[in-house]
Every structure is written in C-alpha cells, then in structure tokens.
Amino acid sequence: VLIAGNWKMFKTPSETAEFCAALRDREAELEDTDVVVCPPYTSLHHAVSVLAGTSIAVFGQSVHWASEGPYTGEVSATMLGELGVTGAIVAHSERRQLFAETDETAALRVEGALDGGLSVIACVGETESEREAGETDAVLRRQVEALRVVVDEDHLDRLALAYEPVWAIGTGRTALPDDAGLIAGLIREQLRETLNTEMGEQVRILYGGSVNPGNIKDFMAKTNIDGALVGGASLDPDQFAAIVRYRI
Ligand code: 13P
C-alpha cells in the first residue's frame, strides 16, 4: 500500500519542518505502508532533512525530462535526486488544466524521471464535462496509453498511476468507491493488455480526490486500488497519519 500526501502550493520550509517532525514522531504507528510526502520545491530540503533515517519518502510535485537545460522554472530528476528526493508526481490534473501539461509532456516527464532514477506517481482522470459526455473510459485509455508507451519494463516497480477524477479534487465530492474500483480495474486491464499480465500487476494504482480518514477504508477495500493520493487532508499530520492507519 502506498499513501502519498500532495501538499500542492501549501507549507513554507518552516511549516514543512514542523509537519515532518510531527509525522516522524508517529512513524511507529504508520504500519507497513509506503508513506510519501510531496511538498513544494522550496520545502523539499527541509522535508528530507527532518525525515532522514525514517522510512517516509519525499517526492517532488513535478519534474522535467531533461537532466539540465534552458527550461526556466523547471527542475530535473538529477537535481531532485541530489537533494535526497526519491520520486515525483507527474501530470497532476492541476498541471494539465492550469499549466498546459499534455499527454505528450506527461509521457516525457515520466520517462525522464524513471530514467533519472526517481519513482513516479503519474496522474490520470476525467473532467466533469468529459464524464457527463460519457467519455471517461476513452479519456483514461488515451491518458494511460500515452504513459505506458514510454515505460521501460525494468522500471515498473517505480511507477504508480493515480486515478484522480478532476471533479472530485478539492471539492469534497468523492467518486463512489465502487466506481473508483471499477475504473482502477479498467486501468489494470489496460496495463495487462499492453504490458504482459504479470507486469500489469506490478504497477500500483492509487485513488485521489477528497480522500479523508472517514472514507479511505472504502477505497482501500477495492481489489485494484493499492493506495491513495491525498490533497487537503494530507496537510494535517493527525489526519494524514489517520489515513495511513486506515486499517485500525
Ligand atoms: P484533495 O484530496 O484535496 O481533493 O486533492 C486531491 C489531489 O489532487 C491529490 O493530488
């Protein structure tokens, strides 16, 4: 199980250090779950320092595909790696909607990050209008296919896909666990079809969108959901720890 907290543009370096110290103190309670925090770039160093020696990993919120170059505002896998950051989110819907991320740039980022030694949480998901137009399956197929073609078989253990329906992000509206489970199943099926069966199983599929301590169990009960990407509720160490400890 992988539970990741996407902090988005929240928490300064000092707020990050405070959060990470609180989470570190609770490490013994975090069970055998892979726990990841994804602070803003400016807070990564503080997160890595405070969490050093724990099993809690620190990821960036995006990453460029080149190792260096004239790309103002971007950072590379090499740069993140030297900082002690071990992975990155790629193509979050906010990047797709607000910062012109496309399936093509998403694929380049995934490839660059995996080749650069990072783990990746690659995001897919339909918008409300796509959902209403009955296009959910087609959109997900297109998004997953774009990512799949760049993934080297050797790197599958470092790849997770996050299904985040855009209409469920930050809205308090969650997908029904049954629907999320069904869509995770479709994504798994697509991975099985295009990779070989065993490799399709290796990729972890996360659900994201208004996950909280009260609903996490219902999502985790679904066969094809292997974890969660948590936004708002990951900003509070008590709530985030409660989500990680959903089994209790
Ligand atoms: P919320 O949990 O705040 O809905 O955000 C979900 C998300 O976008 C995580 O990446």
Side-chain angles (χ1 to χ4, degrees):
V1 172
L2 168 62
I3 307 278
N6 173 13
W7 293 2
K8 309 189 178 185
M9 200 174 76
F10 291 97
K11 294 197 191 291
T12 64
S14 59
E15 289 166 345
T16 297
E18 195 181 328
F19 177 102
C20 291
L23 195 63
R24 186 186 55 197
D25 292 344
R26 293 162 155 279
E27 197 199 356
E29 305 166 19
L30 302 181
E31 310 267 301
D32 48 358
T33 295
D34 292 332
V35 180
V36 175
V37 292
C38 311
Y41 293 131
T42 44
S43 290
L44 289 172
H45 171 69
H46 285 67
V48 168
S49 305
V50 178
L51 295 173
T54 73
S55 61
I56 303 163
V58 180
F59 283 18
Q61 295 178 12
S62 183
V63 59
H64 196 265
W65 50 89
S67 58
E68 59 179 12
Y71 303 108
T72 303
E74 294 282 333
V75 301
S76 73
T78 316
M79 293 166 183
L80 292 173
E82 188 172 317
L83 212 52
V85 170
T86 54
I89 298 172
V90 169
H92 188 275
S93 66
E94 285 149 17
R95 306 256 11 127
R96 289 182 188 262
Q97 295 204 298
L98 306 173
F99 301 100
E101 189 87 80
T102 63
D103 287 340
E104 289 69 35
T105 55
L108 286 167
R109 289 181 200 278
V110 169
E111 190 176 31
L114 292 173
D115 288 348
L118 297 182
S119 294
V120 169
I121 299 174
C123 303
V124 296
E126 81 285 6
T127 62
E128 181 142 44
S129 58
E130 288 165 342
R131 176 183 164 87
E132 278 166 5
E135 292 167 2
T136 300
D137 289 13
V139 167
L140 288 167
R141 247 181 197 281
R142 192 199 70 222
Q143 291 176 339
V144 173
E145 177 62 17
L147 301 178
R148 192 207 52 77
V149 293
V150 299
V151 175
D152 192 315
E153 293 172 8
D154 299 338
H155 295 155
L156 287 176
D157 56 331
R158 284 193 274 118
L159 176 66
L161 292 187
Y163 169 55
E164 299 207 316
V166 176
W167 48 271
I169 293 176
T171 57
R173 288 167 61 196
T174 56
L176 293 173
D178 280 348
D179 290 345
L182 218 60
I183 289 177
L186 287 176
I187 294 173
R188 177 85 63 210
E189 200 46 49
Q190 192 180 351
L191 293 172
R192 280 204 201 100
E193 275 169 24
T194 49
L195 302 166
N196 71 41
T197 306
E198 194 190 331
M199 293 194 297
E201 301 297 330
Q202 271 185 49
V203 177
R204 291 201 271 196
I205 301 176
L206 317 181
Y207 169 75
S210 300
V211 169
N212 62 44
N215 61 25
I216 178 73
K217 236 185 185 148
D218 298 333
F219 291 105
M220 294 309 300
K222 303 297 166 192
T223 322
N224 284 302
I225 297 182
D226 308 309
L229 184 55
V230 186
S234 74
L235 294 170
D236 175 83
D238 290 331
Q239 281 202 54
F240 187 54
I243 290 171
V244 173
R245 299 167 70 238
Y246 70 91
R247 297 183 192 83
I248 298 163

